[in-house]
Amino acid sequence: MTNQITLNLYCDEIKEVDIIDPILGNEKWAYIGILIVPALTEEELISKLLDKRCGNPKGTKSWAACVPFCKYHQKNDKEVHYQKTDSMDQYFIASRWLDFLLTDTHLTYFYILGLDLMRLDYSYFGEAKHSDRFEKIYNRFFRTAVLKSVKSYFSKYETIEIKSIVHDQSEMSSGAYFPWHSIFRIGRDDGKIGFSCKRIEFINSDHRKSTDKRSHLIQYIDLILGATYNALHWTSHDDNKMKLSLKLVPLLKRMMHKPNNTNSHYQYVGRTSIDFFPKYNYQSLSDWEKTIKSLDSFYKKRELRIERF
């Protein structure tokens, strides 16, 4: 068994969304997305993403080598955000990033956890006002997402050191628990995982505003999460967003229906996965901690509704 690995986590969320499905009726879902980046390969991943921004057909395809900056540089030096891909410049960058995702076999690790909020017993999370209650839900399942992804992907290591957890700037940054509680609980309860940080760091996902190259990694997980969400729910029929989600469909289908297929050319086993919770209605169950930790409470197979069209 190898000794230790150091990781940085980049996180994004889709908060409570009410969905009206013509077949299944009313639903309410939330999603957590985590990009897990080994510290030793972080610079390489950022460099690859930057190079995929290059849209100059005659250029070097190296973002750093584009000196003096060509006219394509300014067009492509924009925030990549799934919800903003109606802009053609942002759409083309996003499309190239997903092409990279589908061919990359060693740099990209991600985990997505979908929460079926209509199956959760909200009373377990207290009688607080709505926003506080969601923070408690998100905080609890964020901890689950970190543990399930990091420990399964890097099980061969004796110890896992998480150097930083970086989250897109949101109202979660001002929460009473979220910025510190998951780190505290995991560090206290799990002997395999240690932390170099005491709090989650919140940065602007727009690298031009944050002046932090790690913002590109926040944009990357936002794109993966947004494209996955629309593939699952088909809430946006915008042409660009549909094209991006459809790119991910072959990978998502394999992740959900053949999660242990080590022969796939995508090589996703031990690197990318998706889970949904809970598998059953648990309104009458009192021992929630036992339920959340039970593997039988999670499931993977879901319809990709975007395929209906």
Side-chain angles (χ1 to χ4, degrees):
M1 182 178 285
T2 312
N3 212 12
Q4 178 177 301
I5 189 168
T6 301
L7 306 172
N8 295 312
L9 310 185
Y10 296 90
C11 315
D12 197 14
E13 92 278 358
I14 295 175
K15 291 189 67 174
E16 299 167 285
V17 180
D18 291 302
I19 301 159
I20 301 176
D21 183 86
I23 297 175
L24 299 176
N26 295 340
E27 298 178 300
K28 185 189 290 287
W29 284 85
Y31 288 84
I32 299 169
I34 303 179
L35 181 72
I36 304 103
V37 185
L40 290 176
T41 59
E42 180 163 302
E43 290 295 330
E44 183 182 1
L45 176 57
I46 292 174
S47 178
K48 294 287 187 183
L49 293 175
L50 287 173
D51 288 348
K52 293 299 179 183
R53 286 184 175 273
C54 182
N56 188 344
K58 298 180 181 179
T60 62
K61 303 302 179 185
S62 172
W63 188 256
C66 190
V67 180
F69 291 162
C70 69
K71 66 178 182 179
Y72 293 93
H73 217 89
Q74 184 176 0
K75 290 179 62 177
N76 294 319
D77 190 25
K78 298 177 179 178
E79 180 187 12
V80 176
H81 192 300
Y82 183 76
Q83 293 303 324
K84 298 177 182 177
T85 48
D86 48 345
S87 158
M88 293 309 295
D89 291 336
Q90 289 163 306
Y91 164 74
F92 285 127
I93 303 166
S95 182
R96 290 194 293 271
W97 276 13
L98 291 183
D99 287 339
F100 165 72
L101 167 67
L102 293 173
T103 56
D104 173 43
T105 58
H106 72 286
L107 292 174
T108 302
Y109 295 79
F110 72 82
Y111 177 74
I112 293 173
L113 176 59
L115 304 174
D116 186 347
L117 298 176
M118 294 186 74
R119 285 185 172 178
L120 294 185
D121 182 353
Y122 271 39
S123 66
Y124 173 78
F125 299 96
E127 301 298 328
K129 62 182 181 180
H130 181 74
S131 59
D132 291 340
R133 186 165 57 222
F134 180 76
E135 184 199 349
K136 291 180 180 180
I137 294 171
Y138 187 76
N139 183 61
R140 180 60 190 87
F141 287 99
F142 183 83
R143 190 160 85 243
T144 298
V146 170
L147 287 167
K148 282 181 67 67
S149 58
V150 166
K151 293 188 74 172
S152 62
Y153 294 168
F154 302 99
S155 59
K156 69 178 181 180
Y157 294 92
E158 291 179 2
T159 58
I160 299 168
E161 184 71 15
I162 297 179
K163 184 178 179 182
S164 65
I165 301 179
V166 183
H167 199 287
D168 186 20
Q169 253 181 3
S170 70
E171 61 189 55
M172 302 301 294
S173 63
S174 59
Y177 298 99
F178 181 67
W180 62 273
H181 193 255
S182 290
I183 294 172
F184 168 74
R185 283 292 303 271
I186 295 172
R188 186 193 69 181
D189 299 341
D190 195 288
K192 189 181 180 76
I193 300 177
F195 291 88
S196 304
C197 57
K198 293 184 178 180
R199 296 180 66 87
I200 294 171
E201 184 179 358
F202 293 85
I203 65 173
N204 197 303
S205 58
D206 190 334
H207 56 282
R208 299 165 302 177
K209 295 177 181 178
S210 70
T211 65
D212 190 327
K213 60 186 177 183
R214 297 177 301 168
S215 291
H216 298 285
L217 300 175
I218 295 291
Q219 294 172 42
Y220 192 32
I221 188 60
D222 171 273
L223 174 63
I224 295 169
L225 185 59
T228 298
Y229 174 82
N230 200 40
L232 284 163
H233 295 284
W234 196 25
T235 53
S236 174
H237 294 189
D238 172 81
D239 191 52
N240 287 349
K241 291 181 177 64
M242 286 182 60
K243 287 178 181 177
L244 293 172
S245 291
L246 287 168
K247 272 183 181 287
L248 279 191
V249 163
L251 173 60
L252 292 173
K253 289 176 76 170
R254 286 163 174 80
M255 287 166 54
M256 293 193 298
H257 294 277
K258 295 184 178 181
N260 301 313
N261 180 18
T262 56
N263 296 319
S264 171
H265 73 278
Y266 291 114
Q267 297 183 37
Y268 55 85
V269 176
R271 195 173 55 80
T272 71
S273 61
I274 185 168
D275 282 315
F276 307 101
F277 179 92
K279 190 174 183 179
Y280 309 105
N281 289 308
Y282 284 108
Q283 284 88 344
S284 62
L285 188 65
S286 59
D287 189 357
W288 271 87
E289 288 299 312
K290 181 178 179 181
T291 304
I292 293 171
K293 292 175 182 177
S294 170
L295 292 178
D296 188 50
S297 301
F298 295 83
Y299 64 102
K300 292 183 179 293
K301 291 184 180 181
R302 287 260 308 278
E303 175 194 16
L304 291 168
R305 295 175 193 167
I306 199 168
E307 292 190 306
R308 290 179 185 175
F309 87 98

